[in-house]
Amino acid sequence: MSPESEADLPAETALPGTLPEALYAELVAFRRDLHMHPELGNQEFRTTAAIKERLEKDGLAPRVLPSGTGLVCDIGTDGAADAHGATGGDGGPQGILALRADIDALPIPDSKSDCPYRSTVPDRAHACGHDVHTTVVLGAGLVLAALHRRGLLPRPVRLVFQPAEEVLPGGAAEAIKAGVLNGVSRIIAVHCDPRVDAGMIGLRQGAITSACDRLEVLLDGPGGHSARPHLTTDLVTAAARVVTDVPALVGRRVDTRAGLAVTWGRIESGHAPNVIPQHAELAGTVRCLDINAWRHAPDIVVAAIDEVANLHKAKSEINYVRGVPPVVNEPVVTELLRAAMVARRGETAVESTEQSLGGEDFSWYLEQVPGAMARLGVRTPGERTLRDLHQGDFDADESAIRVGVELFTAAALLHPAH
């Protein structure tokens, strides 16, 4: 059945693949275990082993990626295509639907004081919801495998558990090199959104995230006594002017609708109050809504930094690290996600969402095959406190796990052959 025809069906239409209560309870426990043991990008060995063990327990054959972390697992391919094969991006006659999860955590402390499953690893936390993403894809895989054993899975599915999403330019690029898209015709994902209530998803055709690059700036010059700043390069002032002036300059050198923004996250300089230092360091991000403006961003940003640094007679060294392009949701796959959610929970469970300035390496997959990402609501309905992403107190309403699993299983059942 096509997404278009499914979208017209009433919310109570019974698709198979709902989540049994016992499995839901197991998935909640699995997510909490991941939350307690967060691992950084390319270090997710325990996480990879836990996913692999659970899939193998169900009789599946997951394959660890060549990097040693992350894995893929096919359901219903029957040898037609696999992640190490060479069937081509169109998936051949079967057209595999890939479900992608990112499995890494962030290098920040978990500040949830009253949470029984808070991180046990110092300065490490699942503060972006990747533990939820991972659990959703795992749960969907287990449900779909059960459907396949009953002959109810119409087309094959691939589970992609990707490492290092938080490490620019993202682990997706390495996963693609390892062949995870071989035979895949479409790919879908979810991302936790603390602004959306649990039980709902946010969707948008076209760009749903932004490009994101990393910026590191070193400033140098002769220091001296703070009583004689005229005999020095006042690096503290120079660094401060770079922080304040560069974003303003950049904002006047591109169309404002491009949303090119420089935001600083770190500035360090000096050790004593009466000594003008010889060295300063700054680090931040460059984000952009428009992919064409993003292509010109390095030249624009570097020129602005050099101008401000030269004005204060500071020598600048700039390390501009290319990150990820925007995630651009393909219309047909976006409608597939919409139809899947409507079939499970009705029209009111889907809301429109805006393009965010966050970056996501899911975009690299969409450079290769059509796909879409939905925003998975994780806010407890009625909760007033906003637990934002990349903050130590972030947590998710765990009922979102059920929603994500049932969204993905419905999408797999409705996935068209071509």
Side-chain angles (χ1 to χ4, degrees):
M1 184 177 293
S2 72
E4 292 78 11
S5 59
E6 183 64 24
D8 295 331
L9 294 177
E12 63 269 22
T13 298
L15 279 177
T18 55
L19 184 60
E21 287 300 323
L23 180 55
Y24 171 66
E26 180 189 352
L27 293 175
V28 169
F30 188 90
R31 180 257 169 169
R32 292 185 175 190
D33 179 71
L34 295 186
H35 201 85
M36 294 173 66
H37 302 92
E39 297 174 298
L40 299 185
N42 297 315
Q43 301 174 24
E44 311 97 329
F45 297 103
R46 183 186 185 278
T47 303
T48 297
I51 300 166
K52 184 173 183 287
E53 179 181 3
R54 184 59 186 89
L55 291 171
E56 289 177 337
K57 181 181 177 182
D58 209 56
L60 297 170
R63 302 176 296 281
V64 176
L65 296 178
S67 63
T69 63
L71 61 164
V72 295
C73 183
D74 287 347
I75 302 170
T77 55
D78 297 327
D82 68 68
H84 302 296
T87 60
D90 63 356
Q94 295 199 14
I96 298 172
L97 176 68
L99 317 180
R100 175 267 197 174
D102 37 10
I103 66 175
D104 57 326
L106 286 162
I108 63 176
D110 189 331
S111 61
K112 298 189 295 294
S113 59
D114 59 349
C115 178
Y117 51 86
R118 68 192 298 265
S119 172
T120 61
V121 184
D123 299 321
R124 302 288 185 269
H126 269 295
C128 201
H130 293 188
D131 53 336
V132 175
H133 307 166
T134 300
T135 305
V136 163
V137 172
L138 173 65
L142 297 175
V143 172
L144 291 171
L147 291 176
H148 177 58
R149 289 192 291 270
R150 294 165 56 195
L152 297 177
L153 184 64
R155 273 166 290 282
V157 172
R158 174 168 299 151
L159 315 179
V160 178
F161 298 93
Q162 175 216 302
E165 190 276 331
E166 299 286 354
V167 181
L168 290 180
E174 290 302 314
I176 292 169
K177 290 180 183 177
V180 302
L181 290 182
N182 290 347
V184 168
S185 62
R186 295 178 177 90
I187 186 168
I188 56 177
V190 293
H191 198 294
C192 289
D193 192 335
R195 302 165 301 170
V196 177
D197 282 351
M200 300 187 65
I201 63 169
L203 283 177
R204 175 186 175 88
Q205 289 188 14
I208 193 172
T209 70
S210 302
C212 180
D213 299 335
R214 188 173 69 240
L215 186 61
E216 298 168 348
V217 181
L218 307 180
L219 299 177
D220 289 287
H225 200 289
S226 63
R228 294 177 287 277
H230 59 291
L231 300 179
T232 72
T233 294
D234 189 348
L235 278 184
V236 173
T237 297
R241 299 307 300 189
V242 168
V243 166
T244 57
D245 292 352
V246 167
L249 282 174
V250 168
R252 289 296 179 268
R253 294 179 179 180
V254 294
D255 189 324
T256 55
R257 291 171 294 184
L260 182 60
V262 177
T263 305
W264 303 102
R266 182 175 68 88
I267 178 170
E268 295 181 15
S269 186
H271 301 283
N274 62 342
V275 177
I276 294 175
Q278 298 179 336
H279 185 71
E281 298 182 8
L282 302 88
T285 59
V286 179
R287 300 179 187 271
C288 190
L289 299 172
D290 179 76
I291 193 166
N292 291 320
W294 176 67
R295 294 191 175 103
H296 299 288
D299 293 338
I300 295 169
V301 173
V302 169
I305 294 170
D306 283 338
E307 286 180 29
V308 176
N310 290 338
L311 182 64
H312 293 273
K313 299 181 179 179
K315 179 182 177 183
S316 60
E317 181 180 337
I318 304 165
N319 182 26
Y320 194 108
V321 181
R322 268 309 206 188
V324 295
V327 171
V328 181
N329 282 349
E330 194 269 341
V332 171
V333 186
T334 305
E335 288 307 308
L336 172 63
L337 288 172
R338 183 183 302 278
M341 192 63 174
V342 169
R344 294 295 191 201
R345 294 181 176 250
E347 294 279 358
T348 58
V350 182
E351 67 179 38
S352 297
T353 191
E354 298 296 321
Q355 182 181 4
S356 81
L357 279 167
E360 235 288 355
D361 78 348
F362 185 67
S363 55
W364 292 124
Y365 298 109
L366 305 191
E367 296 281 302
Q368 306 294 322
V369 298
M373 170 176 281
R375 300 200 186 283
L376 180 66
V378 296
R379 178 179 64 194
T380 300
E383 183 178 6
R384 291 181 174 270
T385 302
L386 177 62
R387 302 181 185 275
D388 204 1
L389 301 173
H390 287 220
Q391 300 297 313
D393 66 346
F394 173 78
D395 203 357
D397 185 316
E398 291 172 319
S399 66
I401 295 171
R402 180 189 300 279
V403 177
V405 169
E406 295 189 355
L407 171 70
F408 277 171
T409 54
L413 293 170
L414 298 175
H415 180 225
H418 301 287

